[in-house]
Amino acid sequence: MTSAQIGAYSTGVGLRLAHLAEVVADRPPVPWFEIHPENFLGNPHASELLDEVAEHYPISMHTVGVSVGSASGIDRAHLKRVVALVDRVKPFLVSGHLAWSTHEDAYLNDLLPLPYDDESLHLLSTHISEVQDALGRQFLIENPSSYVAFTHSTMSEVEFLGELVARTGCGLLCDVSNIYLSAHNVAFDPQRYIEALPANAIGELHLGGFTAEADEADAGGTVLIDTHAAAVCEPAWTLYTHAVRSFGSIPTLIEWDNEIPALPVLIAEARRADAIKTAFLAQEERCDAVG
Amino acid sequence: MRLAELQSQMCLALRADTVPADLPLMGGRDPRRRFLIHRRNYETSLIKAMMQKFPATAWLVGAADLMEAARVFVHASPPAEPCISQYGRDFPDFLSGTSLAAKLPYLRDFCELEWHLGRAAIAIDEPPVPISVLARFDPGQLAGLMLRFQSGVRYLHAGRPVDELMQIFLSESAPKSFMLTAEPVWLEIRGARGAFEIARMTADEFAFRNILARGAKVEQAARVAIEANASFDITTAFSNLFAQGLVAGWDRQE
Ligand SMILES: [Fe+2]
């Protein structure tokens, strides 16, 4: 199933282990699910249940472990396992992160930031091409949530992503909440960021919740932490509306990974995203009719 | 700074208490402090994973003490791969070297039992190999047979009856006092698809099954069992493996 066939209106939900048995038993009205392969690869029981889910729902696969930004190389053994799962589950999208999370033989369980310069660009282009060759399909790269940047970066994040698309033919997963959070934390204009992304490369959108904390180094200031432990905040919904205007109606995902609520709460968030897309498409149709 | 060097330094900073002054960071008033958010993400996500994996051990030693032990552990032994469900295999050994084990000499065994229960519960059973498969072999060939056990079958020898302690945790009915005698137990843990059970075994049968489960040939397992008990009944023990559905596959070396 292609991204287009998933439907312009549909908003999926991240499938976490807490909801797995419920989804298998009750088949809730969710148009598609996104999974992290790392939750299933070491867990045969969950993996078996995933096969059942995949029989009834389209799946998008979002890896947090194929570390395309690692200078010590990508984890090829892990990539091989992901490829095998992709072959089995047949997701309509496969994505990863503009980040690194492995260093030599340690997995650091976080998405760590990269400087945006020629060396990183060359490394990531090579690694993304290798991943796409192994998958035999396009890989989508997600923009990160940033707390810091690097003084020696020679290009902006959005320029870097555009170059990766041009060099590798990869797609982009645009996490709207990450843009809002990073714009707040490292100071850029989030709307301009969206406008500068190559719209044709966007294959999926993410929306997730974050947590504001007092910035220890800045009295009265806050830093936004990408906890995925809360509902999507109002400014992120506003930015999402802007993203839909820029990119059109793209499959969108509600991410909620910590303090996970009942499934109907996630479905309600998904319906809100659908309503924004529906309103945008209705407006487009009116414009077409007038035009 | 080259990327490899930068990532080495960042990796060290994640696992140590300080962020090097020459990391070329920007963002906020104090970028080095900001970087500590990543350190906290690393630490808290893995501590949370350990607390979810070892709730019985947390019950035994106290959640705060186990969290502190897990904090030291995650910095000393980061995961080797991204599937966090596999992480924590070394935690029982690690705990045995902490001050917590000085107060609870059975802590390692108890934690190890919990690790096995967690692994057994996420396993899936394969169709068991029927005993009729043995008809293919001459009696002399059986000695060279190697059996593959169901992946949710595990063996643990403990110096004290930690299985009783685990049953107390699982039944959520802690007695006012409980004396853990210094009697060894030989345990078979068996689980699949969210369920598990713990069975006690005799030392000889444990020796037989434990070494078979690790890939030894039948003749080696028989030797080990007879060393444990000269009157060990190999024929019955062997057929019980099949009758109890423990065998998922087999292999034979000439
Ligand atoms: Fe995301």
Side-chain angles (χ1 to χ4, degrees), chain B residues 3-162:
Chain B
L3 191 62
E5 169 64 14
L6 176 68
Q7 293 188 352
S8 286
Q9 293 227 19
M10 286 168 73
C11 186
L12 280 176
L14 280 177
R15 293 176 57 191
D17 274 334
T18 54
V19 181
D22 59 346
L23 271 186
L25 299 171
M26 55 190 272
R29 290 256 166 89
D30 184 348
R32 289 170 65 227
R33 258 196 172 159
R34 280 279 183 90
F35 181 78
L36 291 174
I37 293 169
H38 287 292
R39 185 175 193 275
R40 193 178 65 191
N41 286 348
Y42 167 78
E43 190 177 283
T44 55
S45 63
L46 291 175
I47 291 174
K48 186 177 162 197
M50 301 303 288
M51 298 303 283
Q52 285 173 344
K53 243 172 247 220
F54 295 102
T57 308
W59 163 81
L60 184 66
V61 305
D65 283 351
L66 195 73
M67 275 177 88
E68 180 51 27
R71 195 187 65 75
V72 177
F73 175 74
V74 304
H75 287 289
S77 309
E81 55 123 339
C83 298
I84 297 302
S85 71
Q86 319 263 23
Y87 182 55
R89 176 71 194 84
D90 301 331
F91 193 53
D93 270 346
F94 170 83
L95 279 185
S96 70
T98 65
S99 58
L100 295 173
K103 286 183 278 183
L104 301 167
Y106 48 88
L107 179 59
R108 190 202 167 284
D109 287 344
F110 185 77
C111 188
E112 176 94 9
L113 175 60
E114 185 166 35
W115 168 259
H116 285 309
L117 293 178
R119 299 304 298 167
I122 61 170
I124 50 175
D125 262 343
E126 295 175 52
V129 172
I131 197 160
S132 57
V133 79
L134 298 180
R136 297 183 202 182
F137 304 108
D138 296 333
Q141 291 177 314
L142 290 178
L145 211 59
M146 290 177 291
L147 304 177
R148 182 168 56 80
F149 279 32
Q150 301 284 2
S151 60
V153 175
R154 287 155 172 270
Y155 295 94
L156 175 68
H157 170 46
R160 288 169 199 250
V162 288

Side-chain angles (χ1 to χ4, degrees), chain A residues 62 97 142-143 173 175 178 206-207 226 228 255:
Chain A
H62 187 52
H97 296 89
E142 176 176 356
N143 55 293
L173 192 171
D175 189 316
N178 285 0
H206 272 183
L207 278 167
D226 192 16
H228 289 184
E255 289 187 299

Side-chain angles (χ1 to χ4, degrees), chain A residues 269-289:
Chain A
E269 291 274 276
R271 296 254 155 91
R272 184 167 175 185
D274 283 342
I276 291 170
K277 285 188 278 185
T278 307
F280 162 75
L281 288 175
Q283 197 181 18
E284 289 268 284
E285 274 172 28
R286 279 199 300 277
C287 290
D288 286 349

Side-chain angles (χ1 to χ4, degrees), chain A residues 38 41-45 48 65 69-71 75 81 100 103 105-115 119 123 147-152 185 213 215-218 223 225 258, chain B residues 1-4 6-8 10-11 14 24-26 28-31 33-35 37-38 40-42 45-46 48 78-86 119 122-124 193-194:
Chain A
E38 290 75 16
L41 287 169
N43 186 331
H45 179 41
E48 187 178 61
S70 282
D75 182 345
R81 290 192 289 266
W100 63 284
H103 179 69
D105 55 0
Y107 174 68
L108 301 167
N109 207 36
D110 193 22
L111 298 164
L112 296 160
L114 287 156
E119 187 190 7
L123 180 90
Y147 310 108
V148 291
F150 293 90
T151 53
H152 60 296
N185 289 344
E213 272 184 12
D215 189 344
E216 286 176 21
D218 183 7
V223 58
I225 310 292
N258 291 299
Chain B
M1 187 181 283
R2 295 295 305 254
L3 191 62
L6 176 68
Q7 293 188 352
S8 286
M10 286 168 73
C11 186
L14 280 177
L25 299 171
M26 55 190 272
R29 290 256 166 89
D30 184 348
R33 258 196 172 159
R34 280 279 183 90
F35 181 78
I37 293 169
H38 287 292
R40 193 178 65 191
N41 286 348
Y42 167 78
S45 63
L46 291 175
K48 186 177 162 197
E81 55 123 339
C83 298
I84 297 302
S85 71
Q86 319 263 23
R119 299 304 298 167
I122 61 170
I124 50 175
R193 299 184 175 88

Side-chain angles (χ1 to χ4, degrees), chain A residues 190-246:
Chain A
Q191 296 209 356
R192 275 201 192 153
Y193 183 109
I194 283 176
E195 286 152 17
L197 282 169
N200 289 340
I202 310 290
E204 186 181 335
L205 302 178
H206 272 183
L207 278 167
F210 45 76
T211 308
E213 272 184 12
D215 189 344
E216 286 176 21
D218 183 7
T222 56
V223 58
L224 301 180
I225 310 292
D226 192 16
T227 51
H228 289 184
V232 177
C233 72
E234 288 308 318
W237 281 116
T238 305
L239 194 61
Y240 177 70
T241 306
H242 187 70
V244 170
R245 281 197 205 109
S246 299

